[in-house]
Amino acid sequence: MKHIAVLTSGGDAPGMNAAIRAVVRTAIHEKVEISGVIRGYKGLIGGDIVDLSARSVDNIMQRGGTMLYSARCLAFMEPEGRAQAAEHLRQRGIEGLIVIGGNGSFQGAHLLSKEHGVKVVGIPGTIDNDIYGTDVTIGFNTAMNIALDAIDRLRDTADSHDRLFLVEVMGRHSGHIALNVGLAGGAEEILVPERDYDVEEMVKSIAAGRLRGRSSSIIVVAEGAAKGGAMAIEEHIEAASGYEVRTSILGHVQRGGSPSTRDRVLASRLGYHAVKALLSGESDVMVGVDKRGTVFVPLRETWEKQKEIEWSLYDINKILAG
Ligand code: ATP
């Protein structure tokens, strides 16, 4: 393989730049030409592809977002769109593609490989950590740190005013962020989409905590846990718990900012291994990490199989919430 390309797709995640840097520098080290596709599959269909050099990725490691920009692209869901994308790659002599993104992006990469023989390797880049086959995804650690910092700040004001805070964190259909920051932030309750909860039971337990002298309460709500989000349950909890309730939706602030050490290290490692894998003939796989070290997982498994959240943390929190 003499020429490969890299793109970022789906929601941006802190650490994507560190992954791009690793891909570019490893490719150059291996004497392989490297191009960057602008705005994910949208740029691939439009032929928006630029040459990258070791200097193109100077000074990006510490920046959030993605220097290649990202996009969601409906046209790539259609065979015609993918054919157009494959043609642009063929015209430029690009034989392999590294896709940094989430589940959806991997489905697109799999189809591109299956239909047009493009060699593809995926790198898991999403704050949601909802990808099967890797213990962690790029951006997850940074997003948790940001959410935790916000929870700590909210605790100060909750304590001073005898308030209950509902803190809604990101995660789409998964509770990985909520569970971890809930435990780390000393939340009294954690609501995740993977488990049903009983609002009445929750209110009883909060009221009991208040009787035991608790001066504030924090409930961490994963965005997919409550229909209509945390706002939808605010009124009811206020009426039943006796607390003054405030809701704080952290939203996109969790995506921005400088990536953590962990995310930079993860991104560097995965970027390096993605290039090595592509050059050694691997395709249609995602590179991830688990207790065995760096692992390669068939792309199809990453969305067909379900990644469990760590239920033991949920049970531990029930006890520690006191
Ligand atoms: P995140 O988890 O951050 O949202 P993602 O990669 O899952 O990242 P999606 O919006 O689901 O984000 O997918 C990104 C892009 O991948 C889509 O806009 C589309 O271009 C492509 N894609 C998603 N699903 C498919 C599919 N089934 N077939 C072909 N292409 C797809």
Coordinates of all heavy atoms in Angstrom, one line a residue, residues 36-120:
G36 N -5.9 13.6 3.9 CA -7.0 13.8 4.8 C -8.3 14.2 4.1 O -8.3 14.9 3.1
V37 N -9.4 13.5 4.5 CA -10.7 13.8 3.9 C -11.4 14.9 4.8 O -11.5 14.7 6.0 CB -11.5 12.6 3.8 CG1 -12.9 12.9 3.1 CG2 -10.8 11.4 3.1
I38 N -11.8 15.9 4.2 CA -12.5 17.0 4.9 C -14.0 16.7 5.1 O -14.7 16.4 4.2 CB -12.3 18.4 4.2 CG1 -10.8 18.6 3.9 CG2 -12.9 19.5 5.1 CD1 -9.9 18.7 5.1
R39 N -14.4 16.9 6.4 CA -15.9 16.6 6.7 C -16.4 15.2 6.5 O -17.4 15.0 5.9 CB -16.8 17.7 6.0 CG -16.6 19.0 6.6 CD -17.7 20.0 6.2 NE -17.4 21.2 7.0 CZ -16.5 22.2 6.6 NH1 -15.8 22.0 5.5 NH2 -16.3 23.2 7.4
G40 N -15.6 14.3 6.8 CA -16.0 12.9 6.8 C -16.5 12.4 5.5 O -16.0 12.7 4.4
Y41 N -17.6 11.6 5.5 CA -18.1 11.0 4.2 C -18.6 12.1 3.3 O -18.7 11.9 2.0 CB -19.2 10.0 4.5 CG -18.7 8.8 5.3 CD1 -19.4 8.3 6.5 CD2 -17.6 8.1 4.9 CE1 -18.9 7.2 7.2 CE2 -17.1 7.0 5.6 CZ -17.7 6.6 6.7 OH -17.2 5.5 7.4
K42 N -19.0 13.2 3.8 CA -19.5 14.3 2.9 C -18.3 14.7 2.0 O -18.5 14.9 0.8 CB -19.9 15.5 3.8 CG -20.8 16.5 3.1 CD -21.3 17.5 4.2 CE -22.0 18.6 3.5 NZ -22.3 19.7 4.5
G43 N -17.2 14.9 2.6 CA -16.0 15.3 1.8 C -15.5 14.2 0.9 O -14.9 14.4 -0.2
L44 N -15.8 12.9 1.3 CA -15.4 11.8 0.4 C -16.2 11.8 -0.8 O -15.7 11.6 -1.9 CB -15.5 10.5 1.2 CG -14.7 9.3 0.8 CD1 -13.2 9.7 0.7 CD2 -14.9 8.1 1.8
I45 N -17.5 12.0 -0.7 CA -18.4 12.1 -1.8 C -18.1 13.3 -2.7 O -18.1 13.2 -3.9 CB -19.9 12.1 -1.4 CG1 -20.2 10.7 -0.7 CG2 -20.8 12.4 -2.5 CD1 -21.6 10.6 -0.2
G46 N -17.7 14.4 -2.1 CA -17.4 15.6 -2.8 C -16.0 15.7 -3.3 O -15.6 16.6 -4.0
G47 N -15.2 14.7 -3.0 CA -13.8 14.7 -3.4 C -12.9 15.8 -2.7 O -11.9 16.2 -3.2
D48 N -13.4 16.1 -1.5 CA -12.6 17.2 -0.7 C -11.5 16.5 0.1 O -11.7 16.1 1.2 CB -13.6 17.9 0.2 CG -13.1 19.2 0.7 OD1 -11.9 19.5 0.4 OD2 -13.8 19.9 1.4
I49 N -10.4 16.2 -0.6 CA -9.3 15.4 0.0 C -8.0 16.2 -0.2 O -7.7 16.8 -1.3 CB -9.2 14.1 -0.8 CG1 -10.5 13.3 -0.7 CG2 -8.0 13.2 -0.2 CD1 -10.6 12.1 -1.5
V50 N -7.3 16.3 0.9 CA -6.0 17.2 0.9 C -4.8 16.3 1.3 O -5.0 15.3 2.0 CB -6.1 18.4 1.9 CG1 -7.2 19.3 1.5 CG2 -6.3 17.9 3.3
D51 N -3.7 16.7 0.8 CA -2.4 16.0 1.2 C -2.0 16.5 2.6 O -2.2 17.6 2.9 CB -1.3 16.4 0.2 CG -1.5 16.0 -1.2 OD1 -2.3 15.0 -1.4 OD2 -0.9 16.6 -2.1
L52 N -1.5 15.5 3.4 CA -1.1 15.8 4.7 C 0.4 15.5 4.8 O 0.9 14.6 4.2 CB -1.9 15.0 5.7 CG -3.4 15.3 5.8 CD1 -4.0 14.4 6.8 CD2 -3.6 16.8 6.3
S53 N 1.1 16.3 5.7 CA 2.5 16.1 5.9 C 2.7 16.1 7.5 O 1.8 16.4 8.2 CB 3.3 17.2 5.3 OG 3.1 18.4 6.1
A54 N 3.9 15.7 7.9 CA 4.2 15.7 9.3 C 3.9 17.1 9.9 O 3.4 17.3 11.0 CB 5.6 15.3 9.6
R55 N 4.1 18.2 9.1 CA 3.9 19.6 9.6 C 2.4 19.9 9.7 O 2.0 20.8 10.4 CB 4.7 20.6 8.7 CG 6.2 20.4 8.6 CD 6.8 20.9 9.9 NE 6.6 20.0 11.1 CZ 7.3 18.9 11.3 NH1 8.1 18.4 10.5 NH2 7.0 18.1 12.4
S56 N 1.6 19.3 8.9 CA 0.1 19.6 8.9 C -0.4 19.3 10.3 O -1.5 19.8 10.6 CB -0.6 18.7 7.9 OG 0.0 18.5 6.7
V57 N 0.2 18.4 11.0 CA -0.4 18.0 12.3 C 0.4 18.5 13.5 O 0.3 18.1 14.6 CB -0.5 16.5 12.4 CG1 -1.6 16.0 11.4 CG2 0.8 15.7 12.1
D58 N 1.3 19.5 13.2 CA 2.0 20.2 14.3 C 1.0 20.9 15.2 O 0.0 21.4 14.7 CB 2.9 21.3 13.8 CG 4.2 20.7 13.3 OD1 4.5 19.6 13.6 OD2 4.9 21.5 12.5
N59 N 1.2 20.8 16.5 CA 0.4 21.6 17.5 C -1.1 21.4 17.5 O -1.9 22.3 17.7 CB 0.7 23.1 17.1 CG 0.6 24.0 18.3 OD1 0.6 23.6 19.4 ND2 0.4 25.3 18.0
I60 N -1.5 20.2 17.2 CA -3.0 19.9 17.2 C -3.3 19.0 18.4 O -4.5 18.8 18.7 CB -3.5 19.3 15.9 CG1 -2.9 17.9 15.6 CG2 -3.4 20.3 14.8 CD1 -3.6 17.1 14.5
M61 N -2.3 18.3 18.9 CA -2.5 17.2 19.9 C -3.4 17.7 21.1 O -4.3 17.0 21.6 CB -1.2 16.8 20.4 CG -1.2 15.9 21.6 SD -1.1 14.2 21.0 CE 0.5 13.8 21.6
Q62 N -3.2 18.9 21.5 CA -3.9 19.5 22.7 C -5.2 20.1 22.4 O -5.9 20.6 23.3 CB -2.9 20.4 23.4 CG -2.7 21.8 22.8 CD -1.7 21.8 21.7 OE1 -1.4 20.7 21.1 NE2 -1.2 22.9 21.3
R63 N -5.6 20.1 21.2 CA -6.9 20.8 20.8 C -8.0 19.8 20.7 O -7.9 18.7 20.2 CB -6.7 21.5 19.4 CG -5.6 22.5 19.4 CD -5.9 23.6 18.4 NE -4.8 24.5 18.4 CZ -4.0 24.8 17.4 NH1 -4.3 24.4 16.2 NH2 -3.0 25.7 17.5
G64 N -9.2 20.3 21.2 CA -10.4 19.5 21.0 C -10.9 19.6 19.6 O -10.2 20.2 18.8
G65 N -12.0 19.0 19.3 CA -12.6 19.1 17.9 C -11.7 18.2 17.0 O -11.0 17.3 17.4
T66 N -11.8 18.5 15.7 CA -11.1 17.8 14.7 C -10.6 18.7 13.6 O -11.4 19.4 13.0 CB -11.8 16.5 14.1 OG1 -11.3 16.2 12.9 CG2 -13.3 16.8 14.0
M67 N -9.3 18.7 13.3 CA -8.8 19.6 12.3 C -9.3 19.2 10.9 O -9.3 20.0 10.0 CB -7.3 19.6 12.3 CG -6.7 18.2 11.8 SD -4.9 18.2 11.4 CE -5.0 18.8 9.7
L68 N -9.8 18.0 10.7 CA -10.4 17.5 9.4 C -11.9 17.8 9.4 O -12.5 17.5 8.4 CB -10.1 16.0 9.2 CG -8.6 15.6 9.0 CD1 -8.5 14.1 8.9 CD2 -8.1 16.3 7.8
Y69 N -12.4 18.4 10.4 CA -13.9 18.6 10.5 C -14.6 17.3 10.4 O -14.1 16.3 9.9 CB -14.4 19.6 9.5 CG -13.7 20.9 9.5 CD1 -12.7 21.2 8.6 CD2 -14.0 21.9 10.4 CE1 -12.0 22.4 8.6 CE2 -13.3 23.1 10.4 CZ -12.3 23.3 9.5 OH -11.6 24.5 9.5
S70 N -15.9 17.4 10.9 CA -16.7 16.2 10.9 C -18.1 16.5 10.3 O -18.4 17.7 10.2 CB -16.8 15.6 12.3 OG -17.4 14.3 12.2
A71 N -18.8 15.5 10.0 CA -20.2 15.8 9.4 C -21.0 14.5 9.5 O -20.5 13.4 9.7 CB -20.1 16.2 8.0
R72 N -22.3 14.7 9.5 CA -23.2 13.5 9.3 C -23.6 13.7 7.8 O -23.9 14.8 7.3 CB -24.4 13.6 10.2 CG -23.9 13.8 11.7 CD -24.8 13.2 12.7 NE -24.4 13.6 14.0 CZ -23.8 12.8 15.0 NH1 -23.5 11.6 14.7 NH2 -23.6 13.3 16.2
C73 N -23.7 12.5 7.1 CA -23.9 12.6 5.7 C -24.9 11.6 5.2 O -24.6 10.4 5.1 CB -22.6 12.4 4.9 SG -22.7 12.2 3.2
L74 N -26.1 12.0 4.9 CA -27.2 11.1 4.5 C -26.9 10.4 3.2 O -27.2 9.2 3.0 CB -28.5 11.9 4.4 CG -29.2 12.2 5.7 CD1 -30.5 12.9 5.4 CD2 -29.5 10.9 6.5
A75 N -26.2 11.1 2.3 CA -26.0 10.6 0.9 C -25.1 9.3 1.0 O -25.2 8.4 0.1 CB -25.3 11.6 0.0
F76 N -24.3 9.2 2.1 CA -23.4 8.0 2.2 C -24.2 6.8 2.6 O -23.7 5.7 2.5 CB -22.3 8.3 3.2 CG -21.1 7.4 3.0 CD1 -20.2 7.6 2.0 CD2 -20.9 6.4 3.9 CE1 -19.1 6.8 1.8 CE2 -19.8 5.5 3.7 CZ -18.9 5.7 2.7
M77 N -25.4 7.0 3.0 CA -26.3 5.8 3.4 C -26.8 5.1 2.1 O -27.3 4.0 2.2 CB -27.5 6.3 4.2 CG -27.2 7.3 5.3 SD -26.6 6.5 6.8 CE -28.2 6.2 7.7
E78 N -26.6 5.8 1.0 CA -27.1 5.2 -0.3 C -26.0 4.7 -1.1 O -24.9 5.2 -1.1 CB -27.8 6.3 -1.1 CG -28.9 7.1 -0.4 CD -30.0 6.2 0.1 OE1 -30.3 5.2 -0.6 OE2 -30.6 6.5 1.1
P79 N -26.2 3.6 -1.8 CA -25.1 2.9 -2.6 C -24.5 3.9 -3.6 O -23.3 3.9 -3.8 CB -25.9 1.8 -3.3 CG -27.1 1.5 -2.6 CD -27.5 2.8 -1.9
E80 N -25.3 4.8 -4.2 CA -24.8 5.7 -5.2 C -23.7 6.7 -4.5 O -22.7 7.0 -5.1 CB -25.8 6.6 -5.8 CG -27.0 5.9 -6.5 CD -27.9 5.2 -5.6 OE1 -28.2 5.7 -4.5 OE2 -28.4 4.1 -5.9
G81 N -24.0 7.1 -3.3 CA -23.1 8.0 -2.6 C -21.8 7.3 -2.3 O -20.7 7.8 -2.5
R82 N -21.9 6.0 -1.9 CA -20.7 5.2 -1.6 C -19.9 5.0 -2.8 O -18.6 5.0 -2.8 CB -21.0 4.0 -0.8 CG -21.6 4.2 0.5 CD -21.7 3.0 1.4 NE -22.7 2.0 0.9 CZ -24.0 2.0 1.1 NH1 -24.5 2.9 2.0 NH2 -24.8 1.0 0.6
A83 N -20.6 4.8 -4.0 CA -19.9 4.5 -5.2 C -19.1 5.8 -5.6 O -17.9 5.7 -6.1 CB -20.9 4.1 -6.3
Q84 N -19.7 6.9 -5.5 CA -19.0 8.2 -5.8 C -17.8 8.4 -4.9 O -16.7 8.8 -5.4 CB -20.0 9.3 -5.5 CG -20.0 10.4 -6.6 CD -21.1 11.4 -6.3 OE1 -22.2 11.0 -5.8 NE2 -20.9 12.6 -6.5
A85 N -17.9 8.0 -3.6 CA -16.8 8.1 -2.7 C -15.7 7.2 -3.1 O -14.5 7.6 -3.1 CB -17.3 7.8 -1.3
A86 N -16.0 6.0 -3.5 CA -15.0 5.0 -3.8 C -14.3 5.5 -5.1 O -13.0 5.3 -5.2 CB -15.6 3.6 -4.1
E87 N -15.0 6.1 -6.0 CA -14.4 6.6 -7.2 C -13.4 7.7 -7.0 O -12.3 7.7 -7.6 CB -15.5 7.1 -8.2 CG -15.1 7.6 -9.5 CD -14.3 6.6 -10.3 OE1 -14.4 5.4 -10.1 OE2 -13.5 7.0 -11.2
H88 N -13.7 8.6 -6.0 CA -12.7 9.6 -5.7 C -11.4 9.0 -5.1 O -10.3 9.5 -5.4 CB -13.3 10.6 -4.7 CG -14.2 11.6 -5.3 ND1 -13.8 12.5 -6.2 CD2 -15.6 11.8 -5.1 CE1 -14.8 13.2 -6.6 NE2 -15.9 12.8 -5.9
L89 N -11.6 8.0 -4.3 CA -10.4 7.3 -3.7 C -9.6 6.7 -4.8 O -8.4 6.8 -4.9 CB -10.8 6.2 -2.7 CG -11.4 6.8 -1.4 CD1 -12.0 5.7 -0.5 CD2 -10.4 7.6 -0.6
R90 N -10.3 6.0 -5.7 CA -9.6 5.3 -6.8 C -8.8 6.3 -7.7 O -7.7 6.0 -8.0 CB -10.7 4.5 -7.7 CG -10.1 3.4 -8.5 CD -11.1 2.9 -9.5 NE -11.6 3.9 -10.4 CZ -10.9 4.5 -11.4 NH1 -9.7 4.1 -11.6 NH2 -11.4 5.4 -12.1
Q91 N -9.5 7.4 -8.1 CA -8.8 8.4 -8.9 C -7.5 8.9 -8.3 O -6.6 9.2 -9.0 CB -9.8 9.6 -9.1 CG -10.8 9.3 -10.2 CD -11.9 10.5 -10.2 OE1 -11.7 11.5 -9.5 NE2 -12.9 10.3 -10.9
R92 N -7.5 9.0 -7.0 CA -6.3 9.5 -6.3 C -5.3 8.4 -5.9 O -4.3 8.7 -5.3 CB -6.7 10.3 -5.0 CG -7.3 11.6 -5.4 CD -7.8 12.3 -4.1 NE -8.1 13.7 -4.3 CZ -9.2 14.1 -4.9 NH1 -10.1 13.2 -5.3 NH2 -9.5 15.4 -5.0
G93 N -5.7 7.2 -6.2 CA -4.8 6.1 -5.9 C -4.7 5.8 -4.4 O -3.7 5.2 -3.9
I94 N -5.8 6.1 -3.7 CA -5.8 5.8 -2.3 C -6.4 4.4 -2.1 O -7.5 4.1 -2.5 CB -6.7 6.9 -1.5 CG1 -6.1 8.3 -1.7 CG2 -6.9 6.5 -0.1 CD1 -6.9 9.4 -1.2
E95 N -5.6 3.6 -1.4 CA -6.0 2.1 -1.3 C -6.6 1.8 0.0 O -7.2 0.8 0.2 CB -4.8 1.3 -1.6 CG -4.1 1.4 -2.9 CD -2.6 1.1 -2.9 OE1 -1.9 2.0 -2.4 OE2 -2.3 0.0 -3.2
G96 N -6.3 2.6 1.0 CA -6.8 2.3 2.4 C -7.3 3.5 3.1 O -6.9 4.6 2.8
L97 N -8.3 3.3 3.9 CA -9.0 4.5 4.6 C -9.1 4.2 6.1 O -9.6 3.1 6.5 CB -10.4 4.7 4.0 CG -11.2 5.8 4.6 CD1 -10.6 7.1 4.2 CD2 -12.7 5.7 4.0
I98 N -8.7 5.2 6.9 CA -8.9 5.0 8.3 C -10.0 6.0 8.8 O -10.0 7.2 8.5 CB -7.6 5.4 9.1 CG1 -6.6 4.3 8.8 CG2 -7.8 5.5 10.6 CD1 -5.2 4.5 9.4
V99 N -11.0 5.4 9.4 CA -12.2 6.1 9.8 C -12.3 6.3 11.3 O -12.3 5.3 12.0 CB -13.5 5.4 9.3 CG1 -14.8 6.0 9.8 CG2 -13.5 5.3 7.8
I100 N -12.2 7.5 11.8 CA -12.3 7.8 13.2 C -13.7 8.2 13.5 O -14.1 9.3 13.0 CB -11.3 8.9 13.6 CG1 -9.9 8.5 13.1 CG2 -11.3 9.1 15.1 CD1 -8.8 9.7 13.3
G101 N -14.5 7.5 14.2 CA -15.8 7.8 14.5 C -16.5 6.8 15.4 O -15.9 6.0 16.0
G102 N -17.9 6.8 15.3 CA -18.7 5.9 16.1 C -19.3 4.8 15.3 O -18.9 4.5 14.2
N103 N -20.3 4.1 15.9 CA -20.9 3.0 15.3 C -21.4 3.2 13.9 O -21.3 2.4 13.0 CB -22.2 2.6 16.1 CG -21.9 1.8 17.3 OD1 -21.0 1.0 17.2 ND2 -22.5 2.1 18.4
G104 N -22.1 4.4 13.7 CA -22.6 4.7 12.4 C -21.6 4.8 11.3 O -21.7 4.3 10.2
S105 N -20.5 5.5 11.7 CA -19.4 5.7 10.8 C -18.8 4.3 10.4 O -18.3 4.1 9.3 CB -18.3 6.5 11.4 OG -18.8 7.8 11.8
F106 N -18.7 3.4 11.3 CA -18.2 2.1 11.1 C -19.1 1.3 10.1 O -18.6 0.5 9.3 CB -18.0 1.3 12.4 CG -16.9 1.8 13.2 CD1 -16.7 1.3 14.5 CD2 -16.0 2.8 12.8 CE1 -15.7 1.8 15.3 CE2 -15.0 3.3 13.6 CZ -14.9 2.8 14.9
Q107 N -20.4 1.5 10.2 CA -21.3 0.8 9.3 C -21.0 1.3 7.9 O -21.0 0.5 6.9 CB -22.8 1.1 9.7 CG -23.2 0.4 10.9 CD -24.6 0.5 11.3 OE1 -25.5 0.3 10.4 NE2 -25.0 0.9 12.5
G108 N -20.8 2.6 7.7 CA -20.5 3.2 6.4 C -19.2 2.6 5.9 O -19.1 2.2 4.7
A109 N -18.2 2.5 6.8 CA -16.9 2.0 6.3 C -17.0 0.6 5.9 O -16.4 0.1 4.9 CB -15.9 2.1 7.5
H110 N -17.8 -0.2 6.6 CA -17.9 -1.6 6.3 C -18.5 -1.8 4.9 O -18.1 -2.6 4.1 CB -18.8 -2.3 7.4 CG -19.3 -3.6 7.0 ND1 -18.5 -4.7 7.1 CD2 -20.5 -4.1 6.6 CE1 -19.2 -5.8 6.7 NE2 -20.4 -5.4 6.4
L111 N -19.6 -1.0 4.6 CA -20.2 -1.1 3.3 C -19.3 -0.6 2.2 O -19.2 -1.2 1.1 CB -21.5 -0.2 3.3 CG -22.6 -0.8 4.1 CD1 -23.8 0.2 4.2 CD2 -23.1 -2.1 3.6
L112 N -18.5 0.4 2.5 CA -17.5 0.9 1.5 C -16.5 -0.2 1.1 O -16.1 -0.5 0.0 CB -16.8 2.1 2.0 CG -15.9 2.8 1.0 CD1 -16.7 3.5 0.0 CD2 -15.0 3.9 1.8
S113 N -16.1 -1.0 2.1 CA -15.2 -2.1 1.9 C -15.8 -3.2 1.2 O -15.3 -3.8 0.2 CB -14.7 -2.5 3.3 OG -14.1 -3.7 3.3
K114 N -17.1 -3.6 1.6 CA -17.8 -4.7 1.0 C -18.1 -4.4 -0.4 O -18.0 -5.3 -1.3 CB -19.0 -4.9 1.9 CG -19.7 -6.3 1.7 CD -20.7 -6.5 2.7 CE -22.0 -6.9 2.0 NZ -23.2 -7.0 2.8
E115 N -18.6 -3.3 -0.7 CA -19.1 -3.0 -2.1 C -18.0 -2.6 -3.0 O -18.2 -2.8 -4.2 CB -20.1 -1.8 -2.0 CG -21.4 -2.2 -1.2 CD -22.3 -1.0 -0.9 OE1 -21.9 0.2 -1.1 OE2 -23.3 -1.2 -0.3
H116 N -16.9 -2.0 -2.5 CA -15.9 -1.4 -3.5 C -14.5 -1.9 -3.2 O -13.6 -1.4 -3.8 CB -16.0 0.1 -3.4 CG -17.4 0.6 -3.8 ND1 -17.8 0.6 -5.1 CD2 -18.4 1.0 -3.0 CE1 -19.1 1.1 -5.1 NE2 -19.4 1.3 -3.9
G117 N -14.3 -2.8 -2.2 CA -13.0 -3.4 -2.0 C -12.0 -2.4 -1.4 O -10.8 -2.7 -1.4
V118 N -12.5 -1.2 -0.8 CA -11.6 -0.3 -0.2 C -11.2 -0.9 1.2 O -12.0 -1.4 1.9 CB -12.3 1.1 0.1 CG1 -11.3 2.0 0.8 CG2 -12.8 1.7 -1.2
K119 N -9.9 -0.9 1.5 CA -9.4 -1.5 2.8 C -9.7 -0.4 3.8 O -9.4 0.8 3.7 CB -7.9 -1.7 2.7 CG -7.5 -2.6 1.6 CD -7.6 -4.1 2.1 CE -7.0 -5.0 1.0 NZ -7.6 -6.3 1.0
V120 N -10.4 -0.8 4.9 CA -10.8 0.2 5.9 C -10.4 -0.3 7.3 O -10.5 -1.5 7.6 CB -12.3 0.5 5.9 CG1 -12.7 1.2 4.7 CG2 -13.1 -0.8 6.1

